[in-house]
Amino acid sequence: MSNPLKAHLLAGKVALNAWSLLPSTFAAEFLVQGGWDSITFDMQHGLHDYASAVACIQACQKYPVTPLVRVPWSEPGILGKVLDAGAWGVIVPMINTAEEARALVRACYYPPMGMRSNGPVRAAAYGTLSPYQSIANDEILILPQIETAEGVENAAEILDVEGISGIYVGPSDLAFSLGLPPALDREEPQILDIYRHLLDLAKARGRLAGIQNMSPAYGARMAEMGFQLITVGSDGLFLGRGAHAATKAAREALSEGRAGLVETDR
């Protein structure tokens, strides 16, 4: 029993992370077969609640992908529940200070590192003999999101907190906090300088760094910059883009066909 995503990242490799917004096991099965290293079920801005996240983790279990959950907030109850459900890591929004990072660690780790309550119903294979409690503290990923100016200012202290695995950058909220329009795939020199600063801090401490991206090309750029956990789009985005592309292509084909018929008639 181990966390393959954590081993992959600690080996210095880049991991591709899928993002699940849709609370559907059917959608999750479609998504997970794309060849991703991990999949994050989003309970903050996605449509997932606890029950749908558990069901989707179950649906994906037969595939070689590591389940993560972005929780709605840094709150011990939901953090413990998603880890008990079988998530091998959590992405946690709006962590702005070392104190908040320490509270996050306490909620996610078993004693003596933390105060997580014992009851890993799914994570420990439904109560069968399992080493889960003895390995969980070493295997789970704890990724606070750095997505405000305050978080950037305190990033070094956050990364110094024992038990934090690294950081996960939220570009949209980060830009918003700096007075810029919220969006992904930023090109502003100010934002790119912040990314480099955060990467330097993480690398100096042997920590991981991940980032949310809109396009595969931009995600590849971020990997070249030094980010390791690369999220590209989401199931909702893929569905929307695919639908638009299909209707556009169909209308263009129909238009060309009509033009051909007119020319033939002549």
Side-chain angles (χ1 to χ4, degrees):
M1 180 175 282
S2 63
N3 183 346
L5 177 65
K6 187 170 185 178
H8 184 89
L9 294 168
L10 290 177
K13 300 176 182 178
V14 171
L16 292 178
N17 178 56
W19 203 260
S20 170
L21 301 174
L22 305 177
S24 162
T25 56
F26 194 61
E29 286 182 306
F30 268 115
L31 184 61
V32 78
Q33 293 180 70
W36 307 91
D37 298 296
S38 58
I39 179 169
T40 298
F41 300 101
D42 188 357
M43 295 178 65
Q44 184 193 18
H45 293 305
L47 301 180
H48 282 287
D49 59 15
Y50 174 68
S52 70
V54 173
C56 288
I57 291 172
Q58 289 175 305
C60 297
Q61 191 165 1
K62 67 178 180 179
Y63 299 98
V65 62
T66 301
L68 308 174
V69 172
R70 178 164 75 171
V71 294
W73 204 251
S74 184
E75 186 276 317
I78 194 59
L79 287 163
K81 282 176 74 69
V82 299
L83 292 171
D84 290 347
W88 278 109
V90 288
I91 296 174
V92 185
M94 295 291 178
I95 299 298
N96 295 316
T97 66
E99 181 180 359
E100 291 173 351
R102 284 190 288 270
L104 169 59
V105 167
R106 286 195 299 272
C108 292
Y109 286 95
Y110 288 126
M113 288 184 66
M115 51 174 282
R116 177 182 169 190
S117 177
N118 180 51
V121 179
R122 285 204 71 258
Y126 297 99
T128 60
L129 291 176
S130 163
Y132 179 79
Q133 288 93 333
S134 65
I135 58 93
N137 286 1
D138 293 326
E139 295 293 336
I140 59 175
L141 282 167
I142 309 299
L143 296 173
Q145 284 199 257
I146 303 298
E147 48 186 348
T148 67
E150 182 184 10
V152 172
E153 182 179 352
N154 295 322
E157 290 79 9
I158 291 170
L159 283 161
D160 281 335
V161 172
E162 183 182 2
I164 292 296
S165 306
I167 54 174
Y168 189 87
V169 176
S172 184
D173 273 312
L174 175 58
F176 217 0
S177 78
L178 297 170
L180 299 169
L184 301 176
D185 295 8
R186 313 299 306 200
E187 296 293 351
E188 299 90 342
Q190 176 189 9
I191 299 292
L192 295 177
D193 285 345
I194 288 173
Y195 291 172
R196 294 186 188 97
H197 171 64
L198 293 174
L199 285 166
D200 287 344
L201 293 176
K203 184 177 180 180
R205 291 159 174 79
R207 307 292 199 198
L208 308 169
I211 188 168
Q212 196 87 7
N213 306 277
M214 180 72 74
S215 70
Y218 193 88
R221 282 179 54 196
M222 294 299 99
E224 290 174 2
M225 186 180 285
F227 288 100
Q228 286 182 260
L229 186 63
I230 303 295
T231 301
V232 180
S234 66
D235 52 2
L237 178 67
F238 302 147
L239 178 62
R241 281 182 172 175
H244 284 290
T247 54
K248 180 181 178 181
R251 292 188 189 283
E252 288 175 351
L254 286 168
S255 178
E256 291 169 2
R258 290 194 185 104
L261 286 172
V262 172
E263 291 172 2
T264 301
D265 290 343
R266 288 178 183 173

